[in-house]
Amino acid sequence: MPVITHVGDLQRLARRRVPRMFYDYADSGSWTESTYRANEHDFGKLLLRQRVAVNMEGRSTRTAMVGVDTAMPVAIAPTGLTGMQHADGEILAAQAAEAFGIPFTLSTMSICSIEDVAARTRAPFWFQLYVMKDRDFIERLIDRAKAARCGALMLTLDLQILGQRHKDLKNGLSAPPKPTLRNLLNLATKPRWCLGMLGTPRRSFGNIVGHAKGVGDLSSLSAWTAEQFDPALSWRDVEWIKRRWGGKLIIKGIMDVEDARLAADSGADALIVSNHGGRQLDGAPSSIAALPAIADAVGSRIEVWMDGGIRSGQDVLKAWALGARGTLIGRAFLYGLGAMGREGVTRTLQILHKELDLTMAFCGHTRLQDVDAGILLPGWRERLDGLAR
Ligand code: GLV
């Protein structure tokens, strides 16, 4: 077993342990994958200002996201098919998040259902909603999230249609995988994963199969989303969902200042600057490049968060410095999950926390609340502006 010291170690282990179809689903972007790569690489364009002889005792990374106390400004992002990275993946990740003291978000496209996760956790988790054409189904989903006492609804607006995901099409992505020769050969090299899956009844989309009309199983994810996701989604629907839900609302998938203003006007509690991990519009700027203009425009009216490309606690601190009052991690926790189940997610969180804490200290701060763009070397705005245009 390799010594795990950073998220890249967990990624390598996950690539070995998770069937190719599901590893690729998580670790890829749309079309040329340029946005997917930029999300991660653009953090590297921001240089940190080292300070010395500043008292570094008594540090804290605690904050709150939509009023929920969190050990650091990091929440688990909603990711589809999480229970295919590891058996019972959503339950394990939610439990790891709860133990660490950060929020967990369950995806509409999860394997474990809302009820299943609620029965196996104590802290209220957040539920992410995709808007589908079948409004009865959406109403029932919202009611199920309420009944499970979910603490906030995260409404994703950037997946009215599916991005061009070449790897998924080539792999014939489905849950559970179809027993083709290629899949069987690949599964034979993943005994740990197979054993886990044989030991759980949770192998298809728990929130959907048996709940949406006419859905017995999802043979092809891309065909099903093409058919079901609503391309006509509008801000009027956001209003309707906000009313129906009645609780805290987080809007995910904002990359444009005009859209950020509309999100703030909608009365939502938070918005997430996000290009869906580079999985939707390839050619869009990275999230970190899009963040400063959005935080400047609406940061006083709505909590601004970001996701995309966060692989270290340094990335979390840089996002905070540029105005994100919270971040979400998708792949970073999926690698941990695929590598080592619940323990792997805990490792991811420990690693991010340590990196965040150390970097904050080296930059001369003991409290996150005192950190702003002053921790970055001058010139960051010009560098990011060049990437956002
Ligand atoms: C979301 O479910 C995705 O596949 O990006």
Side-chain angles (χ1 to χ4, degrees):
M1 177 78 160
V3 180
I4 307 285
T5 58
H6 71 300
V7 167
D9 292 330
L10 292 164
Q11 177 181 7
R12 259 189 301 283
L13 200 52
R15 188 184 285 130
R16 280 221 307 270
R17 293 187 170 170
V18 177
R20 178 173 41 220
M21 169 187 296
F22 300 116
Y23 181 82
D24 280 354
Y25 169 72
D27 195 12
S28 61
S30 56
W31 200 26
T32 70
E33 302 193 330
S34 68
T35 298
Y36 161 68
R37 284 191 300 274
N39 272 347
E40 205 174 323
H41 291 162
D42 285 358
F43 277 104
K45 309 254 162 59
L46 299 170
L47 300 180
L48 295 163
R49 249 178 92 198
Q50 175 184 286
R51 301 300 308 278
V52 295
V54 177
N55 186 349
M56 292 178 181
E57 285 172 332
R59 298 189 299 278
S60 167
T61 59
R62 297 201 74 81
T63 181
M65 294 170 74
V66 289
V68 178
D69 281 338
T70 174
M72 55 182 170
V74 175
I76 300 273
T79 51
L81 288 84
T82 304
M84 285 289 136
Q85 303 293 329
H86 189 284
D88 305 333
E90 290 89 358
I91 292 170
L92 301 182
Q95 290 173 340
E98 178 174 329
F100 203 86
I102 67 157
F104 171 81
T105 320
L106 185 72
S107 165
T108 294
M109 304 302 288
S110 60
I111 301 297
C112 304
S113 69
I114 302 176
E115 293 77 11
D116 237 356
V117 176
R120 285 159 187 82
T121 50
R122 267 169 296 147
F125 56 93
W126 298 338
F127 182 66
Q128 175 270 342
L129 185 71
Y130 278 126
V131 180
M132 297 176 196
K133 289 176 193 156
D134 180 349
R135 293 297 200 261
D136 287 346
F137 173 61
I138 296 303
E139 289 190 355
R140 283 200 303 280
L141 258 186
I142 292 175
D143 293 345
R144 288 169 62 195
K146 271 194 216 175
R149 289 180 292 113
C150 290
L153 191 72
M154 188 180 288
L155 178 60
T156 301
L157 293 187
D158 63 1
L159 209 145
Q160 293 167 260
I161 50 173
L162 195 70
Q164 275 182 265
R165 304 184 180 177
H166 296 189
K167 283 191 183 128
D168 293 350
L169 293 172
K170 289 189 166 105
N171 288 333
L173 180 69
S174 67
K178 288 189 209 85
T180 60
L181 183 62
R182 185 173 185 253
N183 287 343
L184 290 174
L185 288 175
N186 187 247
L187 290 180
T189 64
K190 320 285 176 197
R192 190 187 289 257
W193 183 93
C194 292
L195 218 60
M197 283 298 160
L198 287 173
T200 181
R202 304 178 185 93
R203 291 189 219 125
S204 196
F205 295 89
N207 294 327
I208 295 167
V209 173
H211 293 277
K213 263 183 243 123
V215 182
D217 84 295
L218 296 188
S219 48
S220 159
L221 187 63
S222 57
W224 190 81
T225 44
E227 198 182 291
Q228 290 296 323
F229 283 47
D230 190 353
L233 172 65
S234 74
W235 287 101
R236 294 258 301 279
D237 296 305
V238 175
E239 227 177 276
W240 166 70
I241 287 163
K242 185 174 187 309
R243 257 200 320 277
R244 174 100 197 174
W245 166 247
K248 284 180 187 152
L249 183 71
I250 302 158
I251 290 186
K252 180 167 178 285
I254 299 294
M255 287 294 288
D256 186 90
V257 170
E258 274 313 298
D259 286 339
R261 291 205 176 97
L262 293 170
D265 292 346
S266 77
D269 299 275
L271 70 79
I272 307 176
V273 177
S274 172
N275 49 36
H276 213 106
R279 301 160 71 77
Q280 288 293 91
L281 175 63
D282 186 42
S286 65
S287 301
I288 193 67
L291 171 66
I294 293 177
D296 282 352
V298 298
S300 59
R301 294 171 61 206
I302 183 170
E303 265 180 56
V304 173
W305 303 347
M306 69 82 69
D307 71 20
I310 292 193
R311 302 289 183 274
S312 76
Q314 287 216 335
D315 299 338
V316 175
L317 191 73
K318 288 173 179 177
W320 177 283
L322 294 185
R325 295 293 77 116
T327 63
L328 282 88
I329 52 164
R331 294 181 182 97
F333 97 84
L334 289 175
Y335 298 149
L337 182 68
M340 296 157 62
R342 175 176 166 169
E343 195 192 331
V345 179
T346 302
R347 276 305 284 136
T348 294
L349 300 179
Q350 288 167 339
I351 287 167
L352 293 189
H353 183 262
K354 180 169 183 197
E355 292 162 343
L356 170 64
D357 175 61
L358 286 181
T359 309
M360 180 174 75
F362 281 129
C363 291
H365 290 286
T366 56
R367 272 168 25 101
L368 211 49
Q369 284 69 20
D370 298 329
V371 171
D372 60 19
I375 66 158
L376 302 175
L377 279 191
W380 64 263
R381 195 179 284 279
E382 292 70 28
R383 256 175 264 143
L384 285 191
D385 269 0
L387 301 167
R389 296 243 165 81

